[in-house]
Short mmCIF file of all heavy atoms in Angstrom, two decimals:
data_model
loop_
_atom_site.label_atom_id
_atom_site.label_comp_id
_atom_site.label_asym_id
_atom_site.label_seq_id
_atom_site.Cartn_x
_atom_site.Cartn_y
_atom_site.Cartn_z
N GLU A 20 37.66 99.64 21.48
CA GLU A 20 38.90 99.31 22.22
C GLU A 20 39.30 100.43 23.16
O GLU A 20 40.04 100.20 24.08
CB GLU A 20 40.09 99.02 21.30
CG GLU A 20 40.06 97.76 20.60
CD GLU A 20 39.05 97.66 19.43
OE1 GLU A 20 38.85 98.71 18.78
OE2 GLU A 20 38.46 96.61 19.18
N GLU A 21 38.75 101.61 22.92
CA GLU A 21 39.13 102.83 23.71
C GLU A 21 37.86 103.65 23.92
O GLU A 21 36.96 103.64 23.11
CB GLU A 21 40.23 103.65 23.01
CG GLU A 21 40.83 104.65 23.97
CD GLU A 21 42.12 105.31 23.37
OE1 GLU A 21 42.56 104.76 22.27
OE2 GLU A 21 42.66 106.25 23.84
N VAL A 22 37.79 104.37 25.02
CA VAL A 22 36.65 105.22 25.39
C VAL A 22 37.08 106.61 25.81
O VAL A 22 38.06 106.76 26.54
CB VAL A 22 35.82 104.60 26.52
CG1 VAL A 22 34.70 105.52 26.96
CG2 VAL A 22 35.23 103.25 26.14
N ALA A 23 36.34 107.61 25.28
CA ALA A 23 36.52 109.01 25.75
C ALA A 23 35.13 109.42 26.34
O ALA A 23 34.15 109.28 25.75
CB ALA A 23 36.85 109.85 24.61
N VAL A 24 35.18 109.91 27.65
CA VAL A 24 33.98 110.29 28.30
C VAL A 24 33.84 111.82 28.23
O VAL A 24 34.80 112.53 28.58
CB VAL A 24 34.02 109.79 29.80
CG1 VAL A 24 32.73 110.24 30.47
CG2 VAL A 24 34.20 108.32 29.89
N MET A 25 32.69 112.28 27.81
CA MET A 25 32.48 113.76 27.57
C MET A 25 31.47 114.26 28.65
O MET A 25 30.47 113.59 28.88
CB MET A 25 32.09 114.11 26.19
CG MET A 25 33.08 113.97 25.16
SD MET A 25 32.66 114.68 23.48
CE MET A 25 32.67 116.45 23.90
N TYR A 26 31.75 115.45 29.13
CA TYR A 26 30.81 116.13 29.99
C TYR A 26 30.87 117.59 29.70
O TYR A 26 31.90 118.26 29.74
CB TYR A 26 31.14 115.89 31.46
CG TYR A 26 30.16 116.46 32.43
CD1 TYR A 26 28.90 115.90 32.62
CD2 TYR A 26 30.49 117.64 33.15
CE1 TYR A 26 27.98 116.47 33.54
CE2 TYR A 26 29.58 118.22 34.08
CZ TYR A 26 28.33 117.61 34.20
OH TYR A 26 27.42 118.15 35.02
N ARG A 27 29.71 118.19 29.34
CA ARG A 27 29.59 119.57 28.96
C ARG A 27 30.66 120.04 28.06
O ARG A 27 31.30 121.09 28.19
CB ARG A 27 29.56 120.40 30.27
CG ARG A 27 28.39 120.17 31.20
CD ARG A 27 28.02 121.33 31.98
NE ARG A 27 26.88 121.08 32.73
CZ ARG A 27 26.32 121.89 33.66
NH1 ARG A 27 26.93 123.03 33.87
NH2 ARG A 27 25.25 121.60 34.35
N GLY A 28 30.84 119.28 26.88
CA GLY A 28 31.67 119.72 25.84
C GLY A 28 33.16 119.39 25.99
O GLY A 28 33.87 119.51 25.01
N ARG A 29 33.55 118.79 27.10
CA ARG A 29 34.91 118.46 27.41
C ARG A 29 35.13 117.01 27.54
O ARG A 29 34.22 116.28 28.07
CB ARG A 29 35.54 119.18 28.60
CG ARG A 29 35.55 120.66 28.52
CD ARG A 29 36.15 121.29 29.71
NE ARG A 29 36.18 122.77 29.64
CZ ARG A 29 37.12 123.45 28.98
NH1 ARG A 29 38.20 122.86 28.51
NH2 ARG A 29 37.07 124.80 28.96
N VAL A 30 36.32 116.48 27.19
CA VAL A 30 36.66 115.05 27.51
C VAL A 30 37.13 115.08 28.91
O VAL A 30 38.12 115.75 29.23
CB VAL A 30 37.69 114.57 26.51
CG1 VAL A 30 38.24 113.17 27.04
CG2 VAL A 30 37.18 114.36 25.12
N VAL A 31 36.55 114.34 29.83
CA VAL A 31 36.94 114.29 31.21
C VAL A 31 37.70 113.03 31.58
O VAL A 31 38.33 113.00 32.60
CB VAL A 31 35.73 114.49 32.15
CG1 VAL A 31 35.05 115.81 31.98
CG2 VAL A 31 34.66 113.35 32.00
N GLU A 32 37.61 112.00 30.71
CA GLU A 32 38.44 110.81 30.92
C GLU A 32 38.54 110.11 29.67
O GLU A 32 37.66 110.05 28.77
CB GLU A 32 37.80 109.93 31.98
CG GLU A 32 38.67 108.69 32.40
CD GLU A 32 38.22 108.01 33.62
OE1 GLU A 32 37.14 108.37 34.19
OE2 GLU A 32 38.94 107.10 34.11
N GLN A 33 39.77 109.49 29.44
CA GLN A 33 40.02 108.63 28.29
C GLN A 33 40.99 107.55 28.60
O GLN A 33 42.00 107.79 29.29
CB GLN A 33 40.60 109.53 27.10
CG GLN A 33 40.67 108.78 25.81
CD GLN A 33 41.06 109.67 24.57
OE1 GLN A 33 41.03 110.93 24.75
NE2 GLN A 33 41.32 109.14 23.45
N ALA A 34 40.67 106.40 28.20
CA ALA A 34 41.49 105.15 28.46
C ALA A 34 40.99 104.04 27.60
O ALA A 34 40.01 104.12 26.91
CB ALA A 34 41.42 104.83 29.96
N GLU A 35 41.75 102.96 27.67
CA GLU A 35 41.23 101.66 27.04
C GLU A 35 39.97 101.27 27.69
O GLU A 35 39.74 101.52 28.92
CB GLU A 35 42.29 100.60 27.20
CG GLU A 35 43.55 100.80 26.39
CD GLU A 35 44.50 99.65 26.29
OE1 GLU A 35 44.14 98.58 27.00
OE2 GLU A 35 45.46 99.70 25.61
N THR A 36 39.08 100.69 26.91
CA THR A 36 37.69 100.36 27.37
C THR A 36 37.73 99.51 28.65
O THR A 36 37.06 99.81 29.57
CB THR A 36 36.91 99.67 26.23
OG1 THR A 36 36.94 100.41 25.08
CG2 THR A 36 35.49 99.38 26.70
N ALA A 37 38.56 98.46 28.62
CA ALA A 37 38.65 97.63 29.81
C ALA A 37 39.10 98.37 31.06
O ALA A 37 38.65 98.17 32.18
CB ALA A 37 39.61 96.47 29.55
N GLU A 38 40.03 99.33 30.85
CA GLU A 38 40.52 100.14 31.93
C GLU A 38 39.46 101.01 32.56
O GLU A 38 39.43 101.23 33.78
CB GLU A 38 41.77 100.94 31.52
CG GLU A 38 42.42 101.82 32.56
CD GLU A 38 43.20 101.03 33.55
OE1 GLU A 38 43.35 99.79 33.38
OE2 GLU A 38 43.69 101.65 34.52
N ILE A 39 38.69 101.58 31.65
CA ILE A 39 37.55 102.46 32.16
C ILE A 39 36.59 101.70 33.02
O ILE A 39 36.14 102.17 34.07
CB ILE A 39 36.74 103.01 30.90
CG1 ILE A 39 37.61 104.11 30.24
CG2 ILE A 39 35.45 103.54 31.38
CD1 ILE A 39 37.66 105.50 30.84
N PHE A 40 36.28 100.42 32.62
CA PHE A 40 35.38 99.68 33.41
C PHE A 40 36.03 99.11 34.69
O PHE A 40 35.38 98.93 35.76
CB PHE A 40 34.83 98.47 32.59
CG PHE A 40 33.65 98.86 31.75
CD1 PHE A 40 33.86 99.59 30.55
CD2 PHE A 40 32.34 98.49 32.17
CE1 PHE A 40 32.76 99.93 29.79
CE2 PHE A 40 31.25 98.91 31.38
CZ PHE A 40 31.43 99.58 30.21
N ARG A 41 37.29 98.87 34.62
CA ARG A 41 38.06 98.30 35.81
C ARG A 41 38.43 99.33 36.80
O ARG A 41 38.23 99.11 38.02
CB ARG A 41 39.28 97.62 35.29
CG ARG A 41 40.09 96.85 36.50
CD ARG A 41 41.40 96.28 35.88
NE ARG A 41 42.30 97.40 35.58
CZ ARG A 41 43.08 97.99 36.49
NH1 ARG A 41 43.00 97.72 37.71
NH2 ARG A 41 43.87 98.98 36.05
N ALA A 42 38.81 100.52 36.40
CA ALA A 42 39.33 101.53 37.30
C ALA A 42 39.06 102.89 36.83
O ALA A 42 39.90 103.62 36.30
CB ALA A 42 40.88 101.31 37.57
N PRO A 43 37.81 103.42 36.84
CA PRO A 43 37.50 104.83 36.47
C PRO A 43 38.18 105.82 37.37
O PRO A 43 38.21 105.59 38.63
CB PRO A 43 35.91 104.82 36.60
CG PRO A 43 35.62 103.78 37.62
CD PRO A 43 36.63 102.70 37.44
N ALA A 44 38.61 106.84 36.77
CA ALA A 44 39.41 107.87 37.48
C ALA A 44 38.64 109.21 37.62
O ALA A 44 39.20 110.13 38.14
CB ALA A 44 40.74 108.02 36.89
N HIS A 45 37.44 109.32 37.06
CA HIS A 45 36.67 110.60 37.13
C HIS A 45 35.32 110.28 37.81
O HIS A 45 34.66 109.25 37.47
CB HIS A 45 36.47 111.15 35.76
CG HIS A 45 36.06 112.58 35.83
ND1 HIS A 45 34.75 112.92 36.06
CD2 HIS A 45 36.69 113.80 35.67
CE1 HIS A 45 34.65 114.29 36.07
NE2 HIS A 45 35.79 114.83 35.81
N PRO A 46 34.91 111.09 38.71
CA PRO A 46 33.60 110.86 39.34
C PRO A 46 32.45 110.77 38.36
O PRO A 46 31.49 110.01 38.62
CB PRO A 46 33.41 112.19 40.29
CG PRO A 46 34.78 112.65 40.49
CD PRO A 46 35.50 112.36 39.16
N TYR A 47 32.45 111.51 37.23
CA TYR A 47 31.38 111.37 36.23
C TYR A 47 31.37 109.97 35.65
O TYR A 47 30.33 109.40 35.43
CB TYR A 47 31.48 112.45 35.20
CG TYR A 47 30.48 112.42 34.17
CD1 TYR A 47 29.10 112.51 34.50
CD2 TYR A 47 30.83 112.27 32.78
CE1 TYR A 47 28.17 112.50 33.47
CE2 TYR A 47 29.79 112.25 31.83
CZ TYR A 47 28.52 112.31 32.21
OH TYR A 47 27.55 112.24 31.19
N THR A 48 32.54 109.41 35.34
CA THR A 48 32.63 108.13 34.78
C THR A 48 32.04 107.09 35.75
O THR A 48 31.27 106.17 35.36
CB THR A 48 34.05 107.72 34.36
OG1 THR A 48 34.64 108.82 33.57
CG2 THR A 48 34.10 106.35 33.62
N ARG A 49 32.36 107.28 37.02
CA ARG A 49 31.87 106.36 38.06
C ARG A 49 30.36 106.42 38.10
O ARG A 49 29.69 105.42 38.27
CB ARG A 49 32.47 106.78 39.42
CG ARG A 49 33.93 106.44 39.52
CD ARG A 49 34.41 106.81 40.92
NE ARG A 49 33.82 105.89 41.89
CZ ARG A 49 34.30 104.74 42.31
NH1 ARG A 49 35.43 104.32 41.70
NH2 ARG A 49 33.67 104.04 43.14
N ALA A 50 29.78 107.68 37.95
CA ALA A 50 28.33 107.81 37.97
C ALA A 50 27.70 107.11 36.75
O ALA A 50 26.59 106.43 36.87
CB ALA A 50 28.00 109.30 37.97
N LEU A 51 28.35 107.21 35.64
CA LEU A 51 27.81 106.46 34.44
C LEU A 51 27.88 104.97 34.63
O LEU A 51 26.90 104.24 34.25
CB LEU A 51 28.59 106.90 33.19
CG LEU A 51 28.43 108.30 32.64
CD1 LEU A 51 29.42 108.54 31.46
CD2 LEU A 51 27.05 108.62 32.29
N LEU A 52 28.98 104.48 35.17
CA LEU A 52 29.07 103.07 35.41
C LEU A 52 28.04 102.58 36.42
O LEU A 52 27.44 101.45 36.27
CB LEU A 52 30.44 102.69 35.95
CG LEU A 52 31.55 102.69 34.90
CD1 LEU A 52 32.93 102.60 35.58
CD2 LEU A 52 31.34 101.57 33.93
N GLU A 53 27.77 103.43 37.41
CA GLU A 53 26.73 103.02 38.44
C GLU A 53 25.31 102.96 37.81
O GLU A 53 24.48 102.21 38.27
CB GLU A 53 26.71 104.04 39.51
CG GLU A 53 25.93 103.63 40.76
CD GLU A 53 26.02 104.63 41.92
OE1 GLU A 53 27.16 104.74 42.44
OE2 GLU A 53 25.05 105.26 42.26
N ALA A 54 25.15 103.72 36.73
CA ALA A 54 23.82 103.75 36.04
C ALA A 54 23.62 102.55 35.11
O ALA A 54 22.52 102.36 34.64
CB ALA A 54 23.60 105.02 35.35
N VAL A 55 24.65 101.82 34.78
CA VAL A 55 24.55 100.68 33.90
C VAL A 55 23.74 99.63 34.62
O VAL A 55 24.06 99.22 35.72
CB VAL A 55 25.94 100.10 33.52
CG1 VAL A 55 25.72 98.83 32.72
CG2 VAL A 55 26.78 101.11 32.73
N PRO A 56 22.60 99.15 34.02
CA PRO A 56 21.72 98.10 34.69
C PRO A 56 22.53 96.80 34.97
O PRO A 56 23.28 96.40 34.04
CB PRO A 56 20.62 97.91 33.59
CG PRO A 56 20.62 99.12 32.77
CD PRO A 56 22.03 99.54 32.67
N ARG A 57 22.29 96.25 36.11
CA ARG A 57 22.90 94.96 36.43
C ARG A 57 21.79 94.05 36.99
O ARG A 57 20.89 94.54 37.63
CB ARG A 57 23.97 95.12 37.54
CG ARG A 57 25.20 95.91 37.01
CD ARG A 57 26.21 95.94 38.16
NE ARG A 57 27.44 96.57 37.80
CZ ARG A 57 27.65 97.84 37.81
NH1 ARG A 57 26.73 98.66 38.33
NH2 ARG A 57 28.88 98.30 37.46
N ALA A 58 21.88 92.79 36.62
CA ALA A 58 20.92 91.74 37.19
C ALA A 58 21.36 91.36 38.52
O ALA A 58 21.79 90.16 38.72
CB ALA A 58 20.93 90.59 36.19
N GLU A 59 21.26 92.25 39.50
CA GLU A 59 21.63 91.96 40.88
C GLU A 59 20.48 92.44 41.78
O GLU A 59 20.49 93.49 42.36
CB GLU A 59 22.90 92.72 41.27
CG GLU A 59 24.12 92.29 40.39
CD GLU A 59 25.32 93.06 40.77
OE1 GLU A 59 25.33 93.67 41.88
OE2 GLU A 59 26.23 93.08 39.87
N PRO A 60 19.42 91.66 42.01
CA PRO A 60 18.27 92.02 42.74
C PRO A 60 18.53 92.48 44.14
O PRO A 60 17.86 93.43 44.69
CB PRO A 60 17.39 90.78 42.77
CG PRO A 60 17.92 89.95 41.61
CD PRO A 60 19.28 90.24 41.48
N GLY A 61 19.58 91.92 44.82
CA GLY A 61 19.81 92.29 46.20
C GLY A 61 20.72 93.53 46.36
O GLY A 61 21.03 93.98 47.42
N ARG A 62 21.21 94.06 45.23
CA ARG A 62 22.16 95.10 45.27
C ARG A 62 21.46 96.43 45.69
O ARG A 62 20.45 96.79 45.12
CB ARG A 62 22.85 95.29 43.89
CG ARG A 62 23.86 96.43 43.79
CD ARG A 62 24.57 96.33 42.49
NE ARG A 62 25.49 97.48 42.27
CZ ARG A 62 25.14 98.54 41.61
NH1 ARG A 62 23.96 98.64 41.02
NH2 ARG A 62 25.95 99.52 41.39
N GLN A 63 22.04 97.10 46.63
CA GLN A 63 21.54 98.33 47.10
C GLN A 63 22.13 99.49 46.39
O GLN A 63 23.39 99.63 46.36
CB GLN A 63 21.73 98.54 48.66
CG GLN A 63 21.16 97.50 49.53
CD GLN A 63 19.56 97.72 49.48
OE1 GLN A 63 19.02 98.75 49.48
NE2 GLN A 63 18.87 96.58 49.35
N ARG A 64 21.39 100.32 45.69
CA ARG A 64 21.89 101.43 44.99
C ARG A 64 22.10 102.63 46.02
O ARG A 64 21.31 102.85 46.90
CB ARG A 64 20.80 101.95 43.94
CG ARG A 64 20.69 100.93 42.75
CD ARG A 64 19.81 101.46 41.73
NE ARG A 64 20.41 102.50 41.03
CZ ARG A 64 21.19 102.52 40.07
NH1 ARG A 64 21.65 101.30 39.61
NH2 ARG A 64 21.74 103.59 39.46
N ARG A 65 23.25 103.35 45.78
CA ARG A 65 23.52 104.47 46.65
C ARG A 65 22.53 105.56 46.46
O ARG A 65 22.19 105.90 45.30
CB ARG A 65 24.93 105.01 46.37
CG ARG A 65 25.36 106.06 47.21
CD ARG A 65 26.91 106.34 47.04
NE ARG A 65 27.22 106.60 45.66
CZ ARG A 65 27.16 107.83 45.08
NH1 ARG A 65 26.83 108.84 45.83
NH2 ARG A 65 27.44 108.01 43.82
#
């Protein structure tokens, strides 16, 4: 129900799970979300 994102020993973001996926507020969380595989063949990765 809730997620804490850690980077180099620190918690850099914490929120309800749905909120993390809907509106990440830390660049590292955004990078992790971008790495989640998606079945979108036409999607261009940055």
